[in-house]
Structures are given as C-alpha cells and as structure tokens.
Amino acid sequence: MKSALSDFVYEKKGIYGVLHVIILLLSLFLIISISIDTFKNLPFLTQGSYLKIQLWICTFFIFDFILEFFLSHRKLHYLRTHFIFLIISIPYINIFDYYHIVFSPEIRYFLRFIPLIRGGYALAIVVGWLSYNKASSLFTSYLTMLLATVYFSSLIFFVLEHKVNPLVPDYGEALWWAFMDVTTVGSNIYAVTITGKVLSVLLAALGMMMFPIFTVYVTSLVQKANSEKKDLYQGKDSSTTSSPVVPSSGKS
C-alpha cells in the first residue's frame, strides 16, 4: 500500500506535481512581492501582512518536505539532497519577530534576502523537475540558477549602492551592472560598498564557471542531431541496396 501510494505521489500528474507547481507559484509570488517592496524602498520585514504571508509559505514548504520525506523510498538520500531546502524553509524572520530578537542593521539586511534564496532554490528545483531529460534538466537548472543569482545580486547591489553610488540612480543600472559583470565583460559602474565589491568578484567567477555549460549543451545538441541524421541516411542506404525479392513462378 505504501509503495503504491509513493508511486502515485511521485507521478508528474499526481500530488507530487501539484505540490511542486504550488511551490513554484508561491516562490514567484514571494520574489515579486519582495522585488516591488525593494523598488519602493519599503521595510517589508516590519510589516505584519508580509510576516503572515511569509509564515504560511514557509509552513507549506516544510509540509511538502515532510510529506516527500516519508513517501520517499530512499529517505537518507532524500534528506541529504533536500536538506538545504529544509534549512531555508524555516521562518526565521517570524521566529525572531515573535521573541522580539533585535539584530544589527547588517544582519537584518542579510535576513531580508533569505526569502529570495528560498524562492530561487525552489524555482531551480521545479524547473529541473519539469525538464524532459537529464541533460536538459541540468542545463535548465544551471540557467535558472544563473538568472536567479544575477537578479538577486542586482537587487542587493541596488539596495546597497543607490544611496551612496551616483552611478546607480535606479534599478535598471543595477541590473545592467549584474548582467555585464556575470559575462565578465564589465561595465562603467563600479562598486563602492564592500558587499558590492564582493558581489562583483562572485558574479564574474560564476560567469566563468557557468557559461561553458552553454557551449557543452549546444555541442551535445549538434552531436545528437548529426547522429540522428547519420542513422537516417544509413537506414535509407540499407533499404535501397537490399536485394530485390524474386517472385516465385509457381512451377515445381
């Protein structure tokens, strides 16, 4: 009974698929809401409505983790591969707010981006799950992580730099900086804060590590297409060169 239930849950059209679609939607909602508040320079960490939404989303993430853990055939393997998802699903902000724990501005600034990390990680998992094979799954996951990292880095860079850096008057400049930095080309915008300088180095290193994946993926697609074309031509040649069948005359 348990095995049958697990097989049903892990089917893409079963509960497993529904849960991951909900995770994707909640992650997108979380990212969009935080992005809007960041653009408007709103302190969303102190807003009661945001804390309630954050708590419900984290509760659903933890519920999904517990359900998949108990239905998994290899529980230790699942725990090792999804432990990070559990860690970032804990509603730290709600816990700190409930116990009235006060941190320094630097730590509170870091805490405000934990939901972004949570949403990006969930987004990468869902996109990888939706891919049709292992090669495309790996490529899509890397691509999603790259874009998510660029976007989140641009948000952090904008929040830190736009008040002290005259080269970052709006978010568009921060997004331009992030994309140009990850391509290792660079831009005319340079970081002023320490965190901005660290992000500049990390994005350039990330670009050098991840862009070769595009080359490998495209090369594999070309090789696959050439292989299929070769098999097709070989199949035609074998059919045309086969000896014709001589009909029987019917005489003994």
Side-chain angles (χ1 to χ4, degrees), residues 3-198:
S3 177
L5 179 62
S6 301
D7 294 339
F8 172 76
V9 169
Y10 279 94
E11 288 180 358
K12 290 185 178 181
K13 295 183 180 179
I15 300 176
Y16 181 79
V18 174
L19 288 176
H20 279 77
V21 170
I22 295 176
I23 287 178
L24 175 60
L25 295 178
L26 291 177
S27 301
L28 291 176
F29 172 77
L30 195 62
I31 293 172
I32 293 173
S33 62
I34 293 177
S35 300
I36 294 175
D37 290 341
T38 301
F39 299 153
K40 295 181 179 180
N41 200 22
L42 297 177
F44 57 86
L45 289 182
T46 59
Q47 297 180 15
S49 58
Y50 172 78
L51 292 177
K52 291 180 181 178
I53 295 174
Q54 171 83 2
L55 178 61
W56 282 108
I57 292 178
C58 291
T59 302
F60 182 83
F61 283 5
I62 294 176
F63 166 76
D64 175 71
F65 176 86
I66 295 175
L67 177 63
E68 293 187 26
F69 173 75
F70 281 106
L71 293 176
S72 176
H73 299 292
R74 303 169 57 189
K75 290 183 171 54
L76 291 179
H77 176 75
Y78 180 85
L79 187 62
R80 285 197 308 269
T81 55
H82 293 75
F83 184 72
I84 299 179
F85 183 75
L86 175 63
I87 294 298
I88 62 178
S89 297
I90 299 174
Y92 299 101
I93 300 176
N94 298 82
I95 295 174
F96 298 149
D97 181 74
Y98 179 80
Y99 288 102
H100 303 287
I101 301 176
V102 181
F103 293 98
S104 63
E106 291 78 11
I107 296 180
R108 287 185 62 83
Y109 174 78
F110 173 76
L111 291 177
R112 74 181 291 175
F113 287 100
I114 289 181
L116 291 180
I117 300 174
R118 182 182 301 121
Y121 187 83
L123 188 63
I125 291 178
V126 174
V127 172
W129 169 76
L130 291 174
S131 301
Y132 58 90
N133 57 39
K134 292 183 178 180
S136 61
S137 174
L138 179 62
F139 173 74
T140 309
S141 298
Y142 272 112
L143 180 61
T144 304
M145 292 175 61
L146 177 63
L147 295 178
T149 303
V150 170
Y151 179 66
F152 298 157
S153 299
S154 66
L155 284 179
I156 299 174
F157 189 81
F158 171 69
V159 172
L160 284 176
E161 298 279 336
H162 85 282
K163 293 182 179 180
V164 297
N165 193 341
L167 298 176
V168 190
D170 50 37
Y171 174 72
E173 297 296 331
L175 186 62
W176 164 258
W177 163 85
F179 272 107
M180 295 304 294
D181 201 64
V182 80
T183 58
T184 68
V185 176
S187 65
N188 60 335
I189 302 174
Y190 56 87
V192 175
T193 62
I194 296 178
T195 305
K197 294 178 181 178
V198 172

